[in-house]
Amino acid sequence: MTKTRTLMGPIAMALAFSVATPLQADTLRLAIMGEPASLDPHKISGTWENDVVGDLFEGLVTEAADGTRIPGVAESWEISDDGTVYTFTLRNDAKWSDGEPVTADDFVFAFQRILAPATAADYAYLLYPIKNAEAVYAGEADTSTLGVEALDATTLQVTLERSTPYFLDQLSHYTAYPVPSHTVEAYGNDWSRPGNMVSNGAFQLKEWQSQTRITATRNPHFHDVDNVALEEVVYYPIEERNTALNRFRAGEIDIAREFPTQQYDWLMDNLPEAVQVAPYLGIYYYAFNARDGHATTDPRVREALSLAVRREVITDQILGTGEVPAYSFVPPNVSHYKAPSVDFADLSQDERLERAQELLQEAGYGPDNPLELMLRYNTSEDHRKVAIAVAAMWKPLGVEVELYNAEVAVHYADIRQGDFDVARAGWIGDYNDAQNFLSLLESNVSNNYGAYSSSEFDALMSDAANTQDMDSRAELMAEAETIALEDSATLPIYYYVSRNLVSPDLTGWETNIEDIHRSRWIGFDN
């Protein structure tokens, strides 16, 4: 067995230092990018929801201020030599916010619940590395067969289908959070509402006023409560970035989780100490609806639309805050992977448009039969500007575009139902591995918004999942991505940078490639 140590190096020293010098408690006011659909870890899928739920709960593994993975509820773990069996020892002081202990059974309950077909969790597939997880989710096996077992109250054993190099990183994701079995059983689907919810993170839910604010207070039973500086966190769902900026300037919020790109130059001139821009593990793309009855079912149409989009104009002239034009689905700098690129990346714009017109003519579209499309995007000034620009770029092809806008929860609910031709989407890596991006294009994955399906793609991804050699695994995934790019499965537009406004009065904020910032690490410099 391979023993993994707990805290070490700079993290251990930082925690030891903070024990001796407690920070002052205060209230953090945080603007998140939309109204959460839920606070149940099994019912969410957005980064804005993660901002809240990641403060309320803690998994076996969690994130340090700089995004690196550190022990959470598990104080240590052992991994079998073949990489398929993980044995976690839970900390003795792990408790729910009502004072009840967090046990290995709570994790068993949570894993079985999120994978139960009745839960219909959009993100359940992230846990497919666990033995029998996919069969359980498909209703082909009972939840009791899942490879998760409580050996005793503080010992949890997880058995995988195969060695999975990124599994520990996955365990910090909210799909792997424990949920309180005693509360879920008492309240059913209402367990995550204020007054009912108990959680095991640094904060506990106090109130939720829909579309107005969510308030969480410091959890007195959190195992590291002495090092939590904040007394309270108030989350304001603000989809309109200019509104968030104005409230930040007025001193009404301390952190804005994104700012409008058109204000970047002004911000750098007037509030440079507040601007936090950094590389980000994410892609901004348009999903094409491949379901029957949509023009975008035809790969020729998808390719033509992709050819016509001038990505550099979007990144350099419309956004202008360091975004990188995207010609692959997996972002650059993903660990142990080199993404392929589309063939037309080196063509001139005139050459691209000529080819796009030929493809649409082959598909039967022209002046007498113009291509008409519904393009959906969620509320944001930047999303609106990109959508308008893309529609203008398609106009020379004779494409007629009708734009639809909705707030974020409604938008994603609609596109999951297939109510679109083209839809704005984005993906932020849950862990630093190409599989986390490419899995979005596998058949029957709930976050495969366009319902793209390729048996060849699926087979290569399956082969990659069963390949232990990292170089061979990367080659298989690159072959799969090449197929998806040749099919124009999606329209990659740009790779993200994270854009935050952070009050200079705060301490503990550290930029990181995943843009994860847990409030437990943040305090006020006063």
Side-chain angles (χ1 to χ4, degrees):
M1 304 287 277
T2 302
K3 181 74 171 180
T4 302
R5 298 180 61 190
T6 54
L7 300 177
M8 51 188 167
I11 295 172
M13 290 188 286
L15 291 178
F17 177 78
S18 62
V19 169
T21 56
L23 299 172
Q24 181 172 338
D26 214 324
T27 296
L28 177 70
R29 298 160 303 171
L30 177 64
I32 58 175
M33 293 187 293
E35 175 78 0
S38 174
L39 296 180
D40 182 336
H42 300 167
K43 301 288 186 180
I44 63 174
S45 61
T47 56
W48 64 98
E49 295 159 332
N50 186 20
D51 284 335
V52 184
V53 173
D55 282 349
L56 298 176
F57 291 87
E58 181 182 70
L60 294 162
V61 178
T62 190
E63 306 93 354
D66 64 359
T68 57
R69 300 313 195 259
I70 60 172
V73 177
E75 64 179 10
S76 64
W77 49 84
E78 296 178 349
I79 306 171
S80 64
D81 292 336
D82 66 358
T84 63
V85 180
Y86 287 66
T87 305
F88 297 91
T89 299
L90 309 191
R91 57 176 71 251
N92 290 320
D93 55 354
K95 293 183 179 180
W96 296 105
S97 54
D98 61 0
E100 290 293 315
V102 178
T103 68
D105 282 326
D106 288 318
F107 281 94
V108 173
F109 176 83
F111 282 122
Q112 291 182 351
R113 178 177 183 263
I114 191 172
L115 286 160
T119 304
D122 290 327
Y123 248 159
Y125 68 89
L126 282 188
L127 300 174
Y128 282 1
I130 298 175
K131 188 173 181 63
N132 287 336
E134 188 168 5
V136 169
Y137 187 71
E140 298 169 357
D142 189 79
T143 56
S144 63
T145 67
L146 188 66
V148 182
E149 181 182 2
L151 301 185
D152 56 45
T154 59
T155 309
L156 180 75
Q157 190 168 87
V158 181
T159 302
L160 307 184
E161 292 281 359
R162 62 193 68 86
S163 177
T164 305
Y166 50 84
F167 184 63
L168 282 175
D169 280 356
Q170 281 186 302
L171 292 178
S172 65
H173 192 262
Y174 49 79
T175 50
Y177 287 167
V179 295
S181 55
H182 61 292
T183 305
V184 176
E185 290 167 351
Y187 296 104
N189 290 332
D190 293 333
W191 79 271
S192 58
R193 294 185 177 182
N196 297 344
M197 174 185 272
V198 299
S199 59
N200 73 319
F203 296 89
Q204 58 185 343
L205 182 63
K206 179 181 179 181
E207 65 170 348
W208 183 1
Q209 296 184 24
S210 180
Q211 301 292 342
T212 303
R213 68 174 179 267
I214 299 167
T215 303
T217 58
R218 186 167 50 189
N219 176 8
H221 296 289
F222 182 57
H223 62 83
D224 195 34
V225 65
D226 291 341
N227 296 304
V228 177
L230 300 170
E231 181 67 33
E232 184 178 67
V233 184
V234 182
Y235 311 86
Y236 296 98
I238 305 175
E239 291 196 42
E240 175 50 59
R241 309 309 190 248
N242 281 306
T243 301
L245 169 59
N246 291 336
R247 294 189 66 175
F248 182 86
R249 291 179 59 191
E252 297 175 5
I253 58 176
D254 305 300
I255 296 173
R257 293 289 269 142
E258 202 170 280
F259 58 79
T261 55
Q262 68 271 22
Q263 298 294 338
Y264 178 69
D265 291 339
W266 184 92
L267 287 166
M268 290 303 295
D269 288 340
N270 294 276
L271 296 172
E273 293 182 353
V275 178
Q276 300 284 344
V277 176
Y280 198 14
L281 189 66
I283 185 169
Y284 186 109
Y285 69 101
Y286 278 180
F288 290 132
N289 198 337
R291 299 170 179 86
D292 290 342
H294 296 267
T296 45
T297 301
D298 190 330
R300 295 170 297 185
V301 171
R302 300 196 298 261
E303 184 180 354
L305 295 173
S306 186
L307 280 161
V309 173
R310 302 172 66 184
R311 293 156 175 82
E312 288 78 8
V313 170
I314 292 172
T315 58
D316 300 346
Q317 298 178 28
I318 295 176
L319 301 175
T321 51
E323 292 81 1
V324 177
Y327 291 97
S328 65
F329 194 65
V330 179
N333 302 319
V334 166
S335 179
H336 213 103
Y337 186 76
K338 183 177 180 180
S341 183
V342 291
D343 292 338
F344 65 77
D346 296 327
L347 296 180
S348 69
Q349 191 59 31
D350 287 343
E351 290 172 321
R352 295 182 192 182
L353 283 176
E354 182 179 357
R355 175 59 179 155
Q357 288 170 337
E358 291 173 355
L359 287 165
L360 286 184
Q361 288 173 2
E362 290 175 13
Y365 297 99
D368 296 331
N369 183 34
L371 175 60
E372 298 178 353
L373 296 174
M374 175 199 294
L375 170 55
R376 286 191 177 273
Y377 65 94
N378 55 292
T379 304
S380 160
E381 180 62 20
D382 286 342
H383 298 338
R384 186 185 72 85
K385 289 191 301 181
V386 171
I388 291 172
V390 168
M393 293 171 187
W394 287 341
K395 191 171 184 179
L397 301 178
V399 179
E400 299 176 3
V401 180
E402 188 170 5
L403 299 179
Y404 284 79
N405 164 48
E407 64 93 11
V408 65
V410 174
H411 171 75
Y412 278 103
D414 286 343
I415 67 175
R416 281 196 177 91
Q417 294 298 317
D419 187 13
F420 70 99
D421 295 312
V422 184
R424 179 266 157 189
W427 189 259
I428 308 304
D430 302 303
Y431 43 91
N432 192 352
D433 193 273
Q435 183 272 347
N436 187 230
F437 291 86
L438 296 175
S439 65
L440 299 177
L441 302 179
E442 292 186 65
S443 302
N444 302 316
V445 168
S446 60
N447 288 329
N448 180 349
Y449 305 121
Y452 169 75
S453 182
S454 164
S455 58
E456 190 177 1
F457 178 92
D458 292 345
L460 285 165
M461 290 299 293
S462 178
D463 289 345
N466 287 286
T467 300
Q468 304 307 311
D469 180 79
M470 293 297 284
D471 291 337
S472 299
R473 177 175 177 269
E475 290 173 1
L476 288 165
M477 288 193 292
E479 285 185 49
E481 183 172 9
T482 298
I483 290 169
L485 292 174
E486 290 175 348
D487 283 347
S488 298
T490 66
L491 198 172
I493 298 178
Y494 63 82
Y495 306 118
Y496 280 112
V497 292
S498 60
R499 301 190 303 265
N500 293 283
L501 291 176
V502 181
S503 169
D505 293 335
L506 295 178
T507 62
W509 175 283
E510 295 187 36
T511 59
N512 60 79
I513 195 170
E514 293 175 86
D515 198 30
I516 293 175
H517 306 278
R518 301 307 183 202
S519 298
R520 66 179 284 195
W521 307 114
I522 295 175
F524 283 85
D525 187 14
N526 52 21

